[in-house]
Amino acid sequence: GVLKRQLRPDGSVQYTDDPARPAATDDPEGLNLYPGLASQALAVSHRVRPETWKRAAVARGIGYCVACFRAKPHPLLAATVLPAVTEFYLQGKDPGAAAAGFEFADYLCSCQHTNADAPRAAWAGGFRPCPGPSDAEPGIEAADYAGALAAAAKLTRNVPDATRYLKYRQAAVDGLQFARGLQYTPDTPTRAA
């Protein structure tokens, strides 16, 4: 249907109303968001109602996302495509999908503040905008990134890779604990700790 019409032969997704206008002009973050979400939707749709074109479209979408990620790594891109990669792997045991999943998950783990390196204790489990030092306060995106790391843990259970499983599982738990700490309660009025 509608999603199929938005897919391009290179694996990208036309996500704006005007195909003649560059999508990055209207929604620059869309380059990191929509291809992964479209691949997720198609991968799950293929599981429920298999069709050859869907599997091919997911493979192209993952390939496109991997190329974009390698050119310009971004945690949102890694997080949106990881669930698609996991689903794709589970449906066909594609070793290339597993390798891509590990690449995305390892990158997300490198973006995560640990107890040892967080500029503030309350930031532990949150995510930097990109690897390296950053004084930007992490936010609710940690929930999305932790969800992606949970998908990566599922991937490692099926590959199997026990070392990565423990790493991704702990990173997901830490990210969710951070996200839980963002809730405002009378006992936690600020996050300045």
Side-chain angles (χ1 to χ4, degrees):
V2 175
L3 181 55
K4 187 177 183 179
R5 289 191 301 268
Q6 300 303 108
L7 302 177
R8 293 183 174 163
D10 67 353
S12 64
V13 177
Q14 173 60 40
Y15 59 85
T16 59
D17 292 335
D18 184 359
R21 185 178 161 124
T25 304
D26 292 335
D27 185 0
E29 276 300 300
L31 295 172
N32 293 315
L33 179 64
Y34 300 118
L37 293 178
S39 293
Q40 282 184 49
L42 287 170
V44 171
S45 176
H46 180 70
R47 176 174 24 100
V48 173
R49 187 171 289 145
E51 294 183 52
T52 305
W53 75 266
K54 291 177 188 176
R55 183 146 178 88
V58 174
R60 281 192 311 275
I62 290 171
Y64 174 81
C65 290
V66 167
C68 289
F69 180 79
R70 288 179 179 160
K72 188 173 181 183
H74 195 283
L76 182 60
L77 178 59
T80 58
V81 77
L82 245 171
V85 167
T86 298
E87 185 66 39
F88 189 78
Y89 177 81
L90 293 175
Q91 292 175 21
K93 305 299 184 204
D94 182 287
F102 296 155
E103 185 176 350
F104 292 131
D106 287 341
Y107 175 80
L108 282 175
C109 287
S110 76
C111 294
Q112 190 171 41
H113 288 293
T114 64
N115 287 326
D117 73 8
R120 297 183 177 166
W123 292 11
F127 293 81
R128 293 182 279 288
C130 58
S134 173
D135 57 0
E137 183 174 3
I140 195 61
E141 70 279 352
D144 292 329
Y145 300 167
L149 287 165
K154 181 177 181 180
L155 172 66
T156 61
R157 299 268 327 250
N158 286 275
V159 167
D161 185 328
T163 302
R164 279 194 166 107
Y165 170 75
L166 294 172
K167 175 182 175 181
Y168 301 159
R169 183 182 181 282
Q170 188 60 54
V173 168
D174 292 347
L176 291 172
Q177 284 179 326
F178 170 81
R180 182 178 171 268
L182 293 175
Q183 297 180 38
Y184 177 83
T185 67
D187 296 331
T188 57
T190 67
R191 300 212 6 92

